[in-house]
Amino acid sequence: MSVNHQCSYDSGRRGNARRVLGSLGIVLGVAALVLSFTAVAEVPGAIPPQGTHDGKDVAQPIEFPHNIHADVNKINCMYCHTYARRSKVAGIPPTSKCMGCHSVIATDKPRIKKLTEYWENREPPPWNKVHDVPDYVHFTHEKHLKRFVFDNDALPTENVSEVCAFCHGEVKTMTVAHKTKPLNMGFCKRCHEANHGPFDCWQCHK
Amino acid sequence: MSLRNLLENWGDYRKGREQGGHHKYEHMWGMAIDLNLCIGCNACSVACYAENNLAVVGKEKFEKGHALHWMRVERYWDEPNLGEDRVSEYQVHGASFVPTNCQNCNAATCEPVCPVAATYHTPDGLNAQVYNRCIGSRYCSNNCPYRLRYFNFWSYYESSWPAPLHMQLNPDLTVRDKGVMEKCTFCVQRIRAAKDKAKMENRVVAEGGFVNVGDQQFKVAPGRAKVQDMEFQTACQQTCPTSAISFGDMLNPDSQVSKLWRGHQVELGKTSQKKPNPDLRGYRLLEELNTDPCVMFLERVREV
């Protein structure tokens, strides 16, 4: 009886300890979850897609510094990629858009000299595509921007780069864009599931 | 439609719409073809080739039945040989034409036999074919009573579109490779563009519920795009010189195609149309097989 009592007493103490540890764990877990969410979910009303990818470096005719434009000078992504909110493709800006600034800004830098050369020869720099989805995929930038930016009152339009980062990664920290997200069907599907996007095959496959 | 949905609702999958189906519909695209207006010029077929990146297979393969004409104009010589003494296999006068594209059946026979669910019914009432899911078993084609599914026996990319002809390919559509089944999609790329446009302009029906078409009731999904009638046309409809083809949403009671179906008392979900007035010309192809096709034909008025 006493042994039993001892045992039950012991187990009770151990149980208490376990409970304390457990609750500590839950608190820590919640804290970690909150932290991770505050670290990742900068876009209110949206759950970002999960998954990373280490794409090949794609060489470009001019080593375009995204970081200087988007991070240092805080230029909105849609200033240059102006078709993103209007059409399926985000588009590469025409050289005239580059020259709008760079006929006066930083004209002595070697990259700008190369750009000016292209401009004067009246030929666009042959940019190479970094983020490409297969031909059988129908993807519209405009509808995604509408859902996450323009219909999302909680997100100021200046912060659109957070939404772009869902699929394009932190382009702000890159010079030439580099593929950091897988952009495969699972990647799309997980996001559509979490954000209640359309789930029909023919919505995306063509 | 996820695989889970397919497995859990397998019993509902083949039931078709009359038993409730498994869908909340967004649209129900349908067609009406007036054979009185059809002159058999094959312009619809040509337009389809241009719009949908169809390969031209050549004479030898055409003879073997490898042609990929999604919209084919069938010819029948079932009329008397007017003004001719000699009766030949292909008489000069009196041919009837039936332009046949995929009937987009609501109880499609091709769908349940696909081993990989590459063909399925969309909430738009379309019979979809997902090319990159298709493994080329050809069960669907064998089960189609209309023979309106076409198989890519060969890769036609280089032979059909040698440079610079590849520049004319439609970018809204895949160029199918060999081993893949294909068929008329009711120009789904145009449907998709119209729906995207409507949604971008906030033309959306917020509430779900039920829509009655005839004595049939359709569950409809909330938040569906509000596409105007004739906002877009299919390629065959657009090119038809006599406007024999009408296309539209049958869930919209004011659309041209709904009016034609109603006017000729042809209804979805029936295996035969009991029409009191024999002057009404509407019928559907092989509807007695309970495929419930979404294409209605208006019979040709004959002289004799």
Side-chain angles (χ1 to χ4, degrees):
Chain A
M1 188 64 203
S2 66
V3 171
N4 271 351
H5 183 257
Q6 187 70 29
C7 272
S8 65
Y9 179 65
D10 252 352
S11 71
R13 261 177 59 172
R14 254 185 261 123
N16 269 342
R18 223 179 281 140
R19 232 171 284 143
V20 168
L21 272 180
S23 55
L24 200 72
I26 288 169
V27 168
L28 278 177
V30 167
L33 209 70
V34 167
L35 273 177
S36 68
F37 262 99
T38 45
V40 179
E42 286 134 327
V43 180
I47 301 162
Q50 304 295 311
T52 52
H53 174 79
D54 191 20
K56 280 182 199 151
D57 285 323
V58 180
Q60 301 292 356
I62 300 171
E63 201 199 340
F64 179 85
H66 277 95
N67 51 354
I68 295 176
H69 290 83
D71 194 27
V72 179
N73 293 313
K74 304 266 180 281
I75 299 172
N76 192 312
C77 305
M78 292 190 297
Y79 179 74
C80 300
H81 299 288
T82 174
Y83 309 109
R85 62 181 180 276
R86 299 178 189 145
S87 76
K88 281 195 330 188
V89 289
I92 290 169
T95 318
S96 59
K97 187 147 240 168
C98 308
M99 292 311 289
C101 295
H102 283 297
S103 52
V104 285
I105 298 171
T107 47
D108 55 331
K109 302 277 171 66
R111 286 188 289 225
I112 306 302
K113 280 183 181 161
K114 203 171 172 189
L115 174 74
T116 317
E117 208 173 288
Y118 277 116
W119 172 247
E120 279 164 1
N121 292 339
R122 292 172 170 272
E123 57 185 34
W127 302 110
N128 293 314
K129 203 163 184 183
V130 178
H131 294 94
D132 203 3
V133 287
D135 282 349
Y136 48 78
V137 176
H138 166 83
F139 175 86
T140 54
H141 275 87
E142 55 173 357
K143 276 178 84 184
H144 286 84
L145 280 182
K146 183 176 156 66
R147 158 69 179 84
F148 289 119
V149 185
F150 299 115
D151 283 358
N152 189 356
D153 296 331
L155 183 88
T157 314
E158 301 91 84
N159 294 355
V160 67
S161 63
E162 306 300 338
V163 173
C164 304
F166 281 6
C167 306
H168 296 288
E170 292 293 326
V171 182
K172 272 182 182 177
T173 62
M174 304 173 193
T175 52
V176 170
H178 177 82
K179 193 174 162 191
T180 60
K181 302 284 179 180
L183 302 188
N184 53 19
M185 184 165 143
F187 180 78
C188 298
K189 257 184 68 178
R190 282 194 292 277
C191 189
H192 273 230
E193 202 157 28
N195 294 299
H196 308 292
F199 228 74
D200 182 55
C201 306
W202 253 9
Q203 288 283 344
C204 308
H205 284 294
K206 59 182 191 180
Chain B
M1 186 198 66
S2 63
L3 189 62
R4 194 180 56 206
N5 181 15
L6 181 68
L7 293 173
E8 283 174 3
N9 299 312
W10 183 252
D12 294 335
Y13 190 61
R14 182 60 187 88
K15 279 183 187 165
R17 195 185 27 68
E18 66 275 327
Q19 289 174 47
H22 67 293
H23 270 309
K24 279 187 177 161
Y25 284 95
E26 291 178 15
H27 303 276
M28 169 68 70
W29 302 109
M31 199 175 252
I33 301 178
D34 192 342
L35 299 182
N36 226 9
L37 293 174
C38 179
I39 53 172
C41 68
N42 271 294
C44 48
S45 189
V46 174
C48 187
Y49 268 82
E51 170 72 18
N52 290 308
N53 300 341
L54 297 187
V56 179
V57 298
K59 268 186 192 173
E60 293 82 21
K61 285 176 186 149
F62 196 101
E63 278 171 9
K64 290 177 189 162
H66 293 185
L68 301 161
H69 39 15
W70 289 3
M71 174 58 112
R72 67 168 189 244
V73 180
E74 292 186 351
R75 298 171 298 176
Y76 296 96
W77 282 270
D78 54 352
E79 283 190 27
N81 203 354
L82 296 172
E84 264 191 88
D85 309 329
R86 191 168 52 88
V87 176
S88 63
E89 191 187 355
Y90 302 114
Q91 63 195 47
V92 178
H93 300 290
S96 310
F97 305 104
V98 185
T100 43
N101 54 338
C102 172
Q103 308 287 305
N104 281 276
C105 311
N106 277 342
T109 47
C110 50
E111 287 169 13
V113 294
C114 180
V116 292
T119 177
Y120 72 102
H121 226 64
T122 72
D124 278 9
L126 296 172
N127 173 236
Q129 177 73 20
V130 183
Y131 304 121
N132 51 324
R133 192 158 194 168
C134 176
I135 55 167
S137 72
R138 288 181 275 153
Y139 286 127
C140 54
S141 175
N142 284 330
N143 221 29
C144 174
Y146 308 101
R147 285 293 178 271
L148 287 164
R149 287 178 154 263
Y150 302 97
F151 188 67
N152 284 278
F153 285 94
W154 308 90
S155 188
Y156 295 104
Y157 190 81
E158 265 115 34
S159 61
S160 269
W161 304 282
L165 283 180
H166 67 286
M167 302 294 277
Q168 60 106 44
L169 288 169
N170 186 350
D172 295 335
L173 212 76
T174 323
V175 178
R176 281 81 53 190
D177 208 336
K178 68 178 166 189
V180 170
M181 191 60 76
E182 61 183 58
K183 61 164 202 82
C184 164
T185 60
F186 271 175
C187 283
V188 69
Q189 64 278 11
R190 296 185 179 203
I191 294 175
R192 203 185 276 127
K195 281 168 70 183
D196 281 358
K197 187 161 173 274
K199 287 202 170 164
M200 285 307 288
E201 291 170 0
N202 288 321
R203 283 188 276 130
V204 171
V205 185
E207 70 277 4
F210 293 93
V211 169
N212 288 315
V213 178
D215 55 355
Q216 300 288 317
Q217 203 175 42
F218 292 91
K219 261 187 284 182
V220 289
R224 63 193 197 278
K226 202 178 195 171
V227 179
Q228 312 286 332
D229 191 34
M230 297 296 278
E231 187 176 328
F232 72 98
Q233 292 175 303
T234 62
C236 49
Q237 180 192 12
Q238 190 182 5
T239 202
C240 181
T242 56
S243 305
I245 301 174
S246 314
F247 177 80
D249 188 357
M250 300 215 282
L251 295 188
N252 174 7
D254 299 325
S255 68
Q256 194 192 355
V257 75
S258 308
K259 284 177 186 166
L260 276 170
W261 278 61
R262 264 205 314 275
H264 288 272
Q265 294 180 7
V266 176
E267 284 178 30
L268 285 168
K270 300 253 168 90
T271 48
S272 64
Q273 309 293 338
K274 290 187 182 61
K275 291 183 289 188
N277 184 353
D279 287 344
L280 296 175
R281 298 182 288 133
Y283 70 99
R284 299 187 293 172
L285 289 181
L286 301 180
E287 61 187 335
E288 62 274 17
L289 299 178
N290 193 19
T291 49
D292 201 4
C294 277
V295 180
M296 177 189 75
F297 290 89
L298 299 178
E299 204 181 342
R300 191 171 156 210
V301 178
R302 292 152 194 266
E303 288 178 33
V304 187

